[in-house]
Amino acid sequence: MALGDGNPPDIDEDLHSRQLAVYGRDTMRRLFGSNILISGMQGLGCEIAKNLILAGVKSVTLHDEGTVELWDLSSNFIFSKDDVGKNRALASIQKLQELNNAVLISTLSTELTKEKLSDFQAVVFTDISLDKAIEYDEYCHNHQPPISFIKTEVRGLFGSVFCDFGPEFTVVDVDGEEPHTGIIASISNDNPALVSCVDDERLEFQDGDLVVFSEVKGMTELNDGKPRKVKNARPYSFALEDDTSYYAAYEKGGIVTQVKQPKVLNFKTLREALKDPGDFLLSDFSKFDRPPLLHLAFQALDKFICEVGRFPVAGIEEDAQKLISLAVNINQGLGDGKLDEIDQKLMRQFAFGARAVLNPMAAMFGGIVGQEVVKACSGKFHPLFQFFYFDSVESLPTEPLDPIDVKPLNSRYDAQISVFGCKLQKKLEEAKVFIVGSGALGCEFLKNLALMGVCCSEKGKLTITDDDVIEKSNLTRQFLFRDWNIGQAKSTVAASAAASLNPRFHVEALQNRASPETENVFNDAFWENLGVVINALDNVNARLYIDQRCLYFQKSLLESGTLGAKCNTQMVIPHLTENYGASRDPPEKQAPMCTVHSFPHNIDHCLTWARSEFEGLLEKTPAEVNAYLSNPSEYTVSMKNAGDAQARDNLERVIECLDRERCETFQDCITWARLKFEDYFANRVKQLTFTFPEDAATSNGAPFWSAPKRFPRPLQFSADGPGYLHFVMAGSILRAETFGIPIPDWTKNPRKLADAVNKVMVPDFQPKEGVKIVTDEKATSLSTASIDDAAVINDLIMRLEQCRNKLPSGFRMNPIQFEKDDDTNYHMDLIAALANMRARNYSIPEVDKLKAKFIAGRIIPAIATATAMATGLVCLELYKVLDGGHKLEDYRNTFANLALPLFSMAEPVPPKVIKHRDMSWTVWDRWILRDNPTLRDLLQWLKDKGLNAYSISCGSSLLYNSMFPRHRDRMDRKLVDLAREVARVEVPPYRSHLDVVVACEDDEDNDIDIPQVSIYFR
């Protein structure tokens, strides 16, 4: 396989951190050594180039012999009207180079020769005849080493990809997932052997997986490193294809780890695959018979262009009929493989859109093909094998298109008009859209909408909001940003960049977080004026808030998200689908506090503990010191009033910081760091193993140190021990920062630092009897309350006052907030060192600083290809939303994993319907009473519907309950006045209504769950 070579540069981990979290260093290095050819620089070629340049390949060569046409502006974000008439490749180079100066970008504007292909590891063709493609592919397939060949095209709402990576292509990692592991509880002496694991987490092994064993006590024969095959895999156990009858008996311990196997794929050439395509990759099970038809359609289109010298023209029936007859002829020659019938309606739709490259299709296929190129260059993830066909004909308007609707208007949207007609184009231009978030998804959405012409008229308007600023790590995905934008507001920069793509784009950028606190900005009038909301968020809570707002104001919400190579899209359409919050993933399982603090058994536990210690020592305690020093009397009163274990802990930490551990010189900081090492990695372990010796038993007689617990060993400090000095250096530098102590230059000199560390006097440690160590997995706090907390707090406050009197006037500390994306600040150095020393205590495999950063920094793995695909899919749905009139079965939710690759599209789930008499409603309904009604008006209005209201509340207050006689006096009061007086509701001037929750029964006294009721009073 022709993997990238050369001597790639060092990886800039600040820039590429999110991508490194997906690919790892080896794949990134291979990418950095890869040379790519992209032929055909219309919308699809441009999208593929963008994704590969952001990923950071070595070089990209752009090839196109054609010139820019106004038609191209529908799908290509690089071209402007000024480029019309210029060579497409030459017109692309400058703006693409801005995306990443580390990638060498060159152009070819003359005819391509086969021999030229040998300069590249992978070649992509987006606009090429079948004959030429077969010729080039044969050359690539037979070249030594083989050159990966990809042919792809988007034609209107139809797209195709073909991959040939050579006769023997090795996939190094088929799915990109971490190897699965399990902690062993028992192994039988049997044939086959039964392996049981602790029920801490379900096993992810599958039958046929290979696994290796380590750390097994007793049955040590399994520790030989030999891979063994799994069978009969269950959630917490599996069998081995091994006879362990004569092995030593299992005693305890052991880890079982999956061994990932490389896979060799034998690709066929395009010539062979056209005749015998094998299994098509399916994306939509409701269209299981579609790929063979599209396989035929794309061949018929190639024949049409060869014979007629142009594409079929939208609305010209003769062109459609010619394409259909060509398809029929090809089908007749297929013998046993021929189709029983050809869907003529679909073929007409294919013919009429064939010349158009639509932006959402280019974005989607740009993501898919960009990922295939990465696979070709690195062997990371399973390639597409070998054909993929896709269509989105459901995106077409519900009303039939007249030939006059699809005629070009000499506008930049002509390609899109040729597919959707000018009426939908007008709806797009006049749309009122709200995009929430301006990160990776937000940038792609802005680009897509600008090219589609959404909000591109005086009547249309796009509002985008994001309260974040641009960071260096954003630049590999958030392609509207450049390095000179670092530190600027995301939404402002993105909106400005998107407006340059289409001068008519009517966009307003805000820097507000959409939340309950900003409902004065995003008020009722704002929401009521919207047509559609597009989420471009990165957290569930924000998504749930926007979902509730869309539900309330009955607005369509287009939801999407990515995680590494995975992406999903969800359509939330008023009255047609369930809302986003109707179905949710279970919350992530948190490790019990006692596991993290005393009994870790994996590196995640160690890193969780390390980050908690970092924040406690360097942020929370200094902030607590400052809170006390800013207002000593108020602080001490609040601690006395609290009077609990938490208050006692806070005071003890502040005293320790200002007294025993106060630093005045840098040598003091070195002493502090060295003693912290001793406390964390020697003394605490000695105390733990003194309290619970290795042979300790639980109350029911079982061994205390049984799986998943690991018995720890204390560390012995030495200046030349692995990582020990680095821990002291990072710790002392950050401690000095909190005390405002200058950091001397010699700190980073290992010999001088070692001399300073060796001066530190380390007291001997003796474990104590009776020390309580929390072992209860349900415990939520390590602080133990005691009867005399109040007395202890009074004593501590007196000591604290004595400490304050010794401080210099105006003394304050500098709390340090954890910042993962700055490799020069020593934050990750300290956290990685803390975690790895602790891992060493417990014989847990250690990790490098980068892996530590992913876990402790809770970095979400992200790549441009998955983002591009998700936004392309959402924009195909946006056509449906803005057209209006589409049914539930026309919409699609998608889950995709580009690593496998897997595409799973399905109809959204409808909302649950509640029925009463001849009425029905769903979560989408809100009942509205206008004209400032009284309580009596509301009760009568409900009575007319056969509903007897027995309770009406506003917020947390009861406005009416049928059981309370005095509430009858409120009958003729205006509901808004009752809300103001009884519920103390303050109605802001921008709000014209308030909401009440009504509990009702029908005439048979059955409770009926009715929608929220809105009372409009102005």
Side-chain angles (χ1 to χ4, degrees), residues 250-504:
Y250 172 81
E251 291 173 15
K252 65 175 184 175
I255 306 282
V256 58
T257 307
Q258 179 192 25
V259 179
K260 299 195 83 170
Q261 295 293 296
K263 180 178 179 181
V264 176
L265 295 174
N266 310 117
F267 285 86
K268 289 186 279 202
T269 62
L270 178 57
R271 188 192 298 278
E272 295 167 318
L274 280 167
K275 293 177 191 154
D276 179 17
D279 292 332
F280 297 103
L281 178 62
L282 201 58
S283 63
D284 188 335
F285 285 100
S286 69
K287 301 178 181 179
F288 69 92
D289 55 351
R290 193 65 54 85
L293 182 59
L294 297 185
H295 189 61
L296 206 58
F298 276 94
Q299 290 178 68
L301 178 62
D302 180 74
K303 254 191 169 21
F304 183 103
I305 296 165
C306 287
E307 290 183 15
V308 183
R310 60 169 173 80
F311 283 97
V313 176
I316 304 294
E317 194 59 44
E318 302 91 275
D319 283 4
Q321 290 308 318
K322 180 168 178 61
L323 186 85
I324 290 167
S325 74
L326 287 168
V328 169
N329 290 342
I330 297 168
N331 191 40
Q332 292 302 331
L334 292 178
D336 293 343
K338 79 171 186 178
L339 302 180
D340 294 336
E341 63 173 316
I342 290 174
D343 183 336
Q344 298 215 0
K345 181 183 175 189
L346 191 82
M347 293 296 283
R348 283 176 76 254
Q349 290 166 335
F350 179 74
F352 288 161
R355 187 185 162 209
V357 178
L358 298 172
N359 165 259
M361 291 291 291
M364 175 192 170
F365 274 79
I368 294 170
V369 175
Q371 195 63 56
E372 292 308 307
V373 174
V374 171
K375 295 173 188 179
C377 297
S378 66
K380 178 88 169 180
F381 303 154
H382 197 293
L384 200 158
F385 193 79
Q386 288 186 258
F387 278 107
F388 173 63
Y389 291 105
F390 171 84
D391 75 83
S392 183
V393 290
E394 304 79 24
S395 296
L396 287 168
T398 48
E399 296 293 318
L401 289 170
D402 195 271
I404 198 122
D405 289 338
V406 295
K407 283 199 168 167
L409 304 174
N410 197 33
S411 92
R412 62 178 295 142
Y413 312 120
D414 278 351
Q416 188 164 263
I417 289 167
S418 76
V419 177
F420 295 100
C422 53
K423 292 193 184 92
L424 179 55
Q425 185 60 47
K426 188 167 185 282
K427 289 179 181 176
L428 298 182
E429 290 174 33
E430 294 181 354
K432 294 180 176 62
V433 180
F434 184 28
I435 295 182
V436 192
S438 187
L441 289 164
C443 283
E444 286 282 338
F445 278 128
L446 280 172
K447 175 257 297 173
N448 295 354
L449 268 54
L451 296 181
M452 292 161 68
V454 177
C455 308
C456 290
S457 75
E458 283 305 308
K459 289 187 179 176
K461 183 178 177 184
L462 185 141
T463 307
I464 184 161
T465 193
D466 196 311
D467 66 342
D468 204 1
V469 294
I470 297 162
E471 298 172 6
K472 187 178 180 182
S473 63
N474 301 151
L475 303 181
T476 55
R477 305 169 325 285
Q478 302 175 21
F479 83 104
L480 295 178
F481 307 145
R482 304 289 176 264
D483 53 8
W484 57 84
N485 297 131
I486 290 169
Q488 297 172 9
K490 282 186 174 180
S491 59
T492 310
V493 174
S496 172
S500 71
L501 304 180
N502 185 341
R504 292 185 62 79

Side-chain angles (χ1 to χ4, degrees), residues 629-671:
L629 294 175
S630 299
N631 196 329
S633 56
E634 188 178 302
Y635 183 87
T636 52
V637 166
S638 71
M639 289 296 128
K640 281 181 181 174
N641 289 344
D644 57 5
Q646 182 65 57
R648 189 190 70 209
D649 280 1
N650 286 349
L651 287 165
E652 283 171 349
R653 286 204 330 267
V654 171
I655 291 169
E656 189 175 57
C657 193
L658 294 179
D659 183 15
R660 194 163 53 85
E661 293 187 354
R662 185 174 154 219
C663 298
E664 295 179 344
T665 66
F666 192 75
Q667 181 64 44
D668 292 343
C669 299
I670 289 172
T671 301

Side-chain angles (χ1 to χ4, degrees), residues 521-541:
V521 178
F522 305 113
N523 56 27
D524 293 6
F526 172 83
W527 280 96
E528 284 163 359
N529 198 37
L530 290 175
V532 61
V533 180
I534 299 175
N535 265 355
L537 291 161
D538 62 359
N539 70 90
V540 170
N541 287 338

Side-chain angles (χ1 to χ4, degrees), residues 228-242:
R228 291 171 163 83
K229 193 172 275 189
V230 166
K231 63 179 189 179
N232 299 333
R234 299 280 183 272
Y236 302 103
S237 68
F238 60 90
L240 282 180
E241 286 189 356
D242 278 49

Side-chain angles (χ1 to χ4, degrees), residues 892-914:
R892 292 289 181 275
N893 290 348
T894 302
F895 171 76
N897 185 343
L898 289 171
L900 298 178
L902 165 80
F903 306 105
S904 176
M905 309 185 84
E907 221 177 88
V909 178
K912 181 185 169 192
V913 177
I914 297 167

